[in-house]
Amino acid sequence: MMRIVLFLATNFAILLVASVTLSLLGIGTTDGAGGINLTGMLIFCALFGFGGAFVSLFLSKWMAKRGTGARVIETPQNRQEQWLVDTVAQLAKQANIGMPEVAIFPSRAPNAFATGWNRNASLVAVSEGMLQRFSPNEVKAVMAHEIGHVANGDMVTLTLIQGVVNTFVMFFARIIGSFVDRVIFKNESGGIGFGYIIATIFAEIILGILASIIVMWFSRQREFRADAAAAQLAGAGNMIAALEHLRAEQGIPVEMPGEMVAFGINGSLKNGLAGLLMTHPPLEQRIAALREGNLR
């Protein structure tokens, strides 16, 4: 679950800083001699929208290591670390991907994540708490789940979706900003007004939150696909056991930075409208899908 929220947080920060800077400099505005140039503005927003998403993608592994304090196993120091590296190597070979970096991060909560800009340059990490309390078969299933994310190319797909979302968030925010500047603040000079800057920034924040519903929906769907990959690589029974163990430990607080929660396997349960912003489906749904063989 960790991967997505960190990606979103980095992407949002890049996009917001770029948008504010460009607005203050008067670059990429909607005004011109002939009025609003929608085509030019859409191209401009696409360049920066996709640019922000891909920068976030390339920074994802570095940010994940820094955000969780993950220690990459360069040379295994004990039998457990050697087993973990060997297990990941076996799963990566089965999934036909390059050997990922393997790391352990300090957290009492059972969790794991995978990230990286392509399937042959990824990182998979597991928490100390999971290694201590989960059986080897359960840990293997969780690692298979994370390898599934890498093999399925989830981060690249997420980047493309986020690029589209960024583009339209920036595009419509600038239209709203132009409308507010002209109609409410009565700015007819054709230049950048204070109303345009404030309204554009505010609109980007609100539209960005609403647009995240799309990204979170994709995140929930990818979890079922990663579970299916884990079932194939490590056995459905082992993945079910791992998810049931996670459900049994729901009371243990997740000790990862908030921006990392969407990248891990241990997601919290939410109901109602909050469910639209869940990065993961409820564990019950994932277990039921595995038991019924409803693998997506």
Side-chain angles (χ1 to χ4, degrees):
M1 295 179 187
M2 280 185 185
R3 181 172 50 204
I4 291 184
V5 172
L6 179 61
F7 174 84
L8 290 176
T10 306
N11 173 81
F12 182 76
I14 292 171
L15 201 65
L16 187 60
V17 171
S19 181
V20 171
T21 303
L22 294 172
S23 294
L24 291 174
L25 294 175
I27 302 173
T29 64
T30 60
D31 298 322
I36 298 176
N37 181 354
L38 295 179
T39 301
M41 184 170 64
L42 183 60
I43 293 172
F44 167 85
C45 292
L47 289 173
F48 280 90
F50 278 91
F54 276 97
V55 168
S56 301
L57 174 65
F58 292 126
L59 289 176
S60 62
K61 190 159 66 171
W62 180 81
M63 290 292 292
K65 291 177 184 177
R66 294 294 297 270
T68 63
R71 174 179 60 85
V72 175
I73 302 175
E74 302 288 352
T75 302
Q77 301 298 313
N78 50 54
R79 291 176 60 185
Q80 186 182 60
E81 291 186 3
Q82 185 64 61
W83 173 84
L84 182 62
V85 171
D86 291 344
T87 298
V88 171
Q90 176 193 353
L91 294 170
K93 184 177 180 180
Q94 288 178 253
N96 196 30
I97 65 171
M99 177 62 184
E101 290 184 276
V102 183
I104 300 173
F105 60 94
S107 174
R108 193 166 56 90
N111 223 319
F113 68 89
T115 191
W117 71 275
N118 74 55
R119 53 189 282 135
N120 294 316
S122 61
L123 166 75
V124 295
V126 62
S127 70
E128 293 175 348
M130 177 167 281
L131 282 177
Q132 291 167 1
R133 297 189 303 277
F134 278 49
S135 72
N137 283 340
E138 290 170 345
V139 174
K140 180 178 180 179
V142 170
M143 292 293 96
H145 172 95
E146 302 305 336
I147 290 291
H149 281 307
V150 176
N152 291 336
D154 286 340
M155 282 301 287
V156 174
T157 306
L158 172 66
T159 300
L160 296 175
I161 292 174
Q162 189 66 56
V164 173
V165 167
N166 287 348
T167 297
F168 285 100
V169 165
M170 293 182 70
F171 180 73
F172 287 112
R174 276 157 176 72
I175 290 178
I176 293 171
S178 180
F179 175 82
V180 169
D181 198 40
R182 290 177 180 274
V183 176
I184 298 179
F185 285 83
K186 308 297 183 182
N187 179 17
E188 301 294 341
S189 65
I192 297 296
F194 178 76
Y196 173 83
I197 296 173
I198 297 301
T200 298
I201 294 172
F202 183 76
E204 281 193 354
I205 294 173
I206 299 302
L207 292 175
I209 293 173
L210 294 176
S212 66
I213 292 174
I214 299 172
V215 180
M216 295 307 176
W217 176 86
F218 167 73
S219 173
R220 293 192 295 273
Q221 299 309 306
R222 79 190 178 88
E223 289 306 312
F224 289 112
R225 295 178 64 233
D227 285 344
Q232 294 174 347
L233 294 172
N238 289 331
M239 190 62 208
I240 290 171
L243 293 175
E244 288 179 333
H245 198 156
L246 283 170
R247 184 169 61 175
E249 296 202 11
Q250 283 286 336
I252 297 179
V254 177
E255 297 173 344
M256 291 185 295
E259 68 272 15
M260 292 297 297
V261 173
F263 293 99
I265 193 170
N266 185 14
S268 60
L269 299 176
K270 299 179 181 178
N271 298 307
L273 292 176
L276 295 175
L277 296 176
M278 286 175 59
T279 60
H280 283 53
L283 291 173
E284 288 81 0
Q285 289 183 14
R286 295 170 62 186
I287 292 170
L290 286 167
R291 282 179 173 161
E292 295 167 5
N294 184 21
L295 305 178
R296 307 179 186 187

